Amino acid sequence: MGASFPKKFWLKVAAGLSGSGKPRPEGFMSRRFLYRRLVCAVIVILVGGIRVPRSAGQDLPQLKRPQEDNAEQKPAEMKTRKKVKGPRAVGLLQLSDGKATLIPVAILVEGKFYDASVYRADPVPMALDRGTVYEVEQVGESQGLFTTNGALHSKSASSVNPWMATGSYLPNGTEAAKTTHKAEDVPEGLNAGGDEPPRLTRKSAAASKPTPASTTSASAGGAGSSEKTSGSAGEGKGSPAGGSGKDDAKTATPAADASADQSGKKPPAQPSAGQASQSQESGNYYRPTLRRGKPTQGAPVEEEPTTKVVATASPTGAGAVISAKPVQVLPAISDAGGPEPQSYKFFWKEGEEEERRKQMLTLAGDEVRAYVSARAKGAIGVKPATSSEAGVARRKAAVKPAQPVFENIQFQAFDVWKNNQPVMILTAEARLPETGTASASEAYSITLVSRTDIYGSLRKLYSGVTDRFHLDVTPRLELIDAVDADGDGRGELLFRETTDGRKGYVIYRPTGDKLWKMFDSLGT
């Protein structure tokens, strides 16, 4: 390593050596300056030496560890599920006596729900276009496929379902019926030679000669003609023998008929050669063969098996309604790019379902009593109660109210969140014993939805109690099924709602605290 110093530096060094031994201030300054320059040079050399290996190492291939490769592939594997924007249609399949019809409910387009019965109805709604395939589900499990073939429209203003689709329903595990096409009529001269290929032949002398059968028929014809000539000659002469011959023939025919009637059986007629050939041709009628010429006969008549329908008359009209089969209603989904259906069934432990049912009925009883008491407080009395009557009413209120009687109870549970936590739905009709505030004949409808918390207690998500006079305030809800309406993998609850004079459908999403309304066909 070579370091260069200025010329004045060497002059000062020489002057210091030649001078006295006492150090001068210039000497100390030059040494201090020298050390500073040396330190800077060393730093520059060290930095340059460190940079050289790095620049040389950049040209060499770098080896990556397996951990780095896995880190690059992780973002590709952990792909987030894209939200379904539609179109995704939700409908209801009605099955009755082997006939299937579809009712449109809702359609999801660009993340927003619309009424499927009116969306793009030009003239038929988009959800009912011909050839649309719906997957029929029950508790989230696939049951079959329904293909629309046509649409029916009702112009009545009071119609519950103005649009309805007809089509074919194919349950899982069954095959579609194969349609067979009938062949055309048999041309002339095709089946004469059997299965042999057609050949062009010339008329030979042997074909012109009469066959033995033709000669016998000709001889029989000649004999008949000779008899006719003799008979005509006898008639021309007016001989009485001809007349007696006719009378004998007339009398002989009734005698033959009488003998046949006495025996009770007619002699079987032997089939002719033409009838035998016709039966053979009808048996091989639909066999594919090469055909030419004009058709000689039509297709044979196919006898379809007929089933006897025995109609039993009921004494009243109510019997006919009871004997009719109930209509089965199943939800159906139509989505070309949606997720695969998954089950929302919840499997109870032994004895757990009955315990939860009792808890739900107890909670429903509290809701019904609270609804009745709220109505009683809001009612306007005929006359103000006196102090004594008020005291009696307070004492009666202190007594525990009676438990309502429930009818038509339906209790179901679904695992809509796929975390083994059930969402329980109870629908029933309740009647209270006759009291001063309510009559025994008045019926109340209740729909209760709840879930379990971390402590195993019930947490109410929705409670709707109503009667026939307050359907405009609180509609009556009837659970249909759990269905994935928006295609996110979680289940939603599909209800049929009844308001004051109208009926429709509503879809709710269960959350941790309440039911969130996603779609309402009535717009309430």
Side-chain angles (χ1 to χ4, degrees):
M1 177 183 69
S4 61
F5 300 94
K7 188 176 181 180
K8 293 181 180 181
F9 174 78
W10 295 109
L11 294 175
K12 291 179 181 181
V13 172
L17 295 175
S18 61
S20 59
K22 298 180 179 180
R24 293 183 297 179
E26 294 89 356
F28 290 104
M29 293 178 63
S30 63
R31 289 174 185 174
R32 192 178 302 156
F33 180 75
L34 174 62
Y35 293 152
R36 290 179 179 176
R37 294 294 297 273
L38 288 174
V39 170
C40 294
V42 171
I43 291 173
V44 171
I45 292 172
L46 290 176
V47 171
I50 293 172
R51 287 182 178 180
V52 170
R54 285 187 178 182
S55 61
Q58 290 178 357
D59 299 336
L60 299 176
Q62 297 182 359
L63 299 177
K64 295 182 180 180
R65 295 180 180 180
Q67 296 179 357
E68 297 179 358
D69 295 339
N70 295 337
E72 294 179 358
Q73 295 178 1
K74 281 182 180 179
E77 293 177 359
M78 299 174 60
K79 294 181 180 179
T80 58
R81 180 182 294 177
K82 294 183 179 180
K83 190 174 181 180
V84 179
K85 295 185 178 181
R88 182 180 178 88
V90 180
L92 290 177
L93 183 71
Q94 293 182 341
L95 295 175
S96 176
D97 296 334
K99 296 180 181 179
T101 55
L102 182 79
I103 301 173
V105 176
I107 184 169
L108 178 68
V109 179
E110 297 295 334
K112 187 177 180 180
F113 281 98
Y114 299 92
D115 191 355
S117 62
V118 297
Y119 184 78
R120 291 192 179 182
D122 49 354
V124 180
M126 179 180 177
L128 303 183
D129 286 341
R130 185 181 180 87
T132 305
V133 180
Y134 283 82
E135 186 168 12
V136 183
E137 300 177 0
Q138 187 175 15
V139 200
E141 298 179 352
S142 177
Q143 301 296 320
L145 298 177
F146 176 81
T147 306
T148 59
N149 293 333
L152 303 176
H153 179 55
S154 175
K155 297 182 179 180
S156 177
S158 61
S159 178
V160 179
N161 303 309
W163 283 97
M164 186 180 297
T166 60
S168 58
Y169 174 59
L170 184 64
N172 291 339
T174 59
E175 297 182 357
K178 298 180 180 180
T179 57
T180 58
H181 300 280
K182 295 182 179 180
E184 58 186 7
D185 295 335
V186 182
E188 183 180 2
L190 179 63
N191 293 334
D195 295 338
E196 298 178 358
R199 297 179 181 179
L200 295 176
T201 57
R202 294 182 180 180
K203 191 174 181 180
S204 59
S208 59
K209 294 182 179 179
T211 58
S214 60
T215 54
T216 55
S217 61
S219 60
S225 60
S226 61
E227 291 177 359
K228 289 181 181 179
T229 53
S230 62
S232 60
E235 291 175 0
K237 293 181 180 179
S239 62
S244 62
K246 289 183 179 181
D247 295 338
D248 295 339
K250 289 180 181 180
T251 55
T253 303
D257 296 339
S259 62
D261 294 336
Q262 291 176 0
S263 61
K265 296 182 180 180
K266 294 183 178 180
Q270 297 180 357
S272 61
Q275 293 178 354
S277 61
Q278 184 177 0
S279 61
Q280 293 178 0
E281 290 179 1
S282 62
N284 299 331
Y285 180 79
Y286 295 114
R287 187 170 184 175
T289 51
L290 184 61
R291 302 175 177 179
R292 293 180 181 178
K294 298 179 180 180
T296 57
Q297 61 179 358
V301 179
E302 297 182 356
E303 296 181 359
E304 298 181 357
T306 57
T307 58
K308 295 183 179 180
V309 180
V310 179
T312 58
S314 58
T316 59
V321 177
I322 295 173
S323 61
K325 295 182 180 179
V327 179
Q328 187 180 6
V329 180
L330 299 174
I333 303 293
S334 177
D335 190 355
E340 294 294 331
Q342 52 185 344
S343 177
Y344 299 115
K345 283 184 178 180
F346 180 76
F347 298 94
W348 297 96
K349 298 179 182 178
E350 185 177 358
E352 184 182 6
E353 183 178 2
E354 188 64 25
E355 180 182 357
R356 293 299 183 187
R357 179 189 176 93
K358 293 180 180 179
Q359 294 177 359
M360 290 287 288
L361 287 175
T362 303
L363 183 58
D366 297 339
E367 295 293 328
V368 172
R369 287 193 295 267
Y371 174 78
V372 174
S373 62
R375 281 189 55 195
K377 290 180 181 179
I380 300 175
V382 178
K383 62 178 181 177
T386 61
S387 59
S388 61
E389 292 177 355
V392 174
R394 283 194 297 270
R395 285 193 298 271
K396 288 183 178 180
V399 180
K400 185 178 179 181
Q403 181 73 11
V405 179
F406 292 99
E407 301 174 353
N408 300 327
I409 302 173
Q410 294 183 2
F411 177 69
Q412 298 184 24
F414 303 104
D415 188 9
V416 295
W417 298 316
K418 307 300 293 182
N419 58 354
N420 204 26
Q421 184 178 4
V423 174
M424 294 167 285
I425 304 97
L426 174 72
T427 59
E429 294 180 359
R431 295 180 184 272
L432 286 175
E434 187 174 358
T435 59
T437 57
S439 60
S441 60
E442 190 170 358
Y444 304 93
S445 176
I446 179 171
T447 302
L448 183 63
V449 182
S450 63
R451 67 174 182 87
T452 56
D453 56 9
I454 58 176
Y455 303 105
S457 304
L458 294 182
R459 183 179 182 86
K460 183 177 63 177
L461 302 181
Y462 174 83
S463 175
V465 183
T466 184
D467 54 65
R468 58 192 179 95
F469 301 105
H470 297 81
L471 292 175
D472 55 340
V473 180
T474 304
R476 181 171 64 248
L477 299 181
E478 301 174 12
L479 178 65
I480 297 176
D481 204 348
V483 61
D484 186 8
D486 55 355
D488 60 350
R490 295 179 296 178
E492 286 79 32
L493 302 179
L494 177 60
F495 292 91
R496 181 187 290 108
E497 62 174 342
T498 304
T499 62
D500 190 8
R502 295 193 300 171
K503 292 184 179 181
Y505 303 96
V506 61
I507 300 175
Y508 282 102
R509 169 179 289 174
T511 61
D513 299 326
K514 64 177 183 179
L515 293 184
W516 181 62
K517 185 184 292 186
M518 301 177 62
F519 169 76
D520 190 354
S521 62
L522 300 181
T524 56

